[in-house]
Amino acid sequence: HAFAIDNALVRPADPVFVGYCISKNADCGNKVLWKAHADEKVGVMAERNNKPCIIEYSDMDAELVRQVDDQTGKLVYGASNICNHFYT
């Protein structure tokens, strides 16, 4: 379990997150929080070439940041990366 030093609210060895990743036989995991609003300055989970990736907010234009899924009404890029990772 690895996390960023600037995340003061992280729970070291988070048993729920680590347990979930283990129960899914995951090689790795990335815990995210949904953005409070479109303009929140945080990197987000996305897919590039059918693989998960992080896109930094500074690399996204305003139109992309505010893109909403027509079916759900949620931000397309709303899963913010909080630098909380699981590796095996």
Side-chain angles (χ1 to χ4, degrees):
H1 182 226
F3 52 89
I5 191 76
D6 63 349
N7 187 344
L9 300 178
V10 73
R11 185 172 182 190
D14 179 344
V16 174
F17 177 53
V18 171
Y20 179 81
C21 292
I22 290 170
S23 75
K24 298 297 181 184
N25 285 332
D27 294 328
C28 61
N30 185 36
K31 192 172 187 178
V32 299
L33 292 177
W34 206 256
K35 290 171 69 170
H37 53 83
D39 295 319
E40 190 172 355
K41 295 188 181 305
V42 62
V44 294
M45 286 290 302
E47 267 190 24
R48 184 179 292 147
N49 299 323
N50 294 319
K51 293 182 181 180
C53 68
I54 303 294
I55 302 175
E56 290 302 326
Y57 70 89
S58 56
D59 293 333
M60 300 175 74
D61 63 35
E63 184 178 327
L64 197 60
V65 167
R66 294 183 182 91
Q67 189 175 356
V68 174
D69 183 304
D70 292 331
Q71 293 181 353
T72 66
K74 291 184 174 183
L75 292 170
V76 172
Y77 299 102
S80 61
N81 177 33
I82 60 170
C83 298
N84 194 339
H85 311 291
F86 169 83
Y87 303 105
T88 57

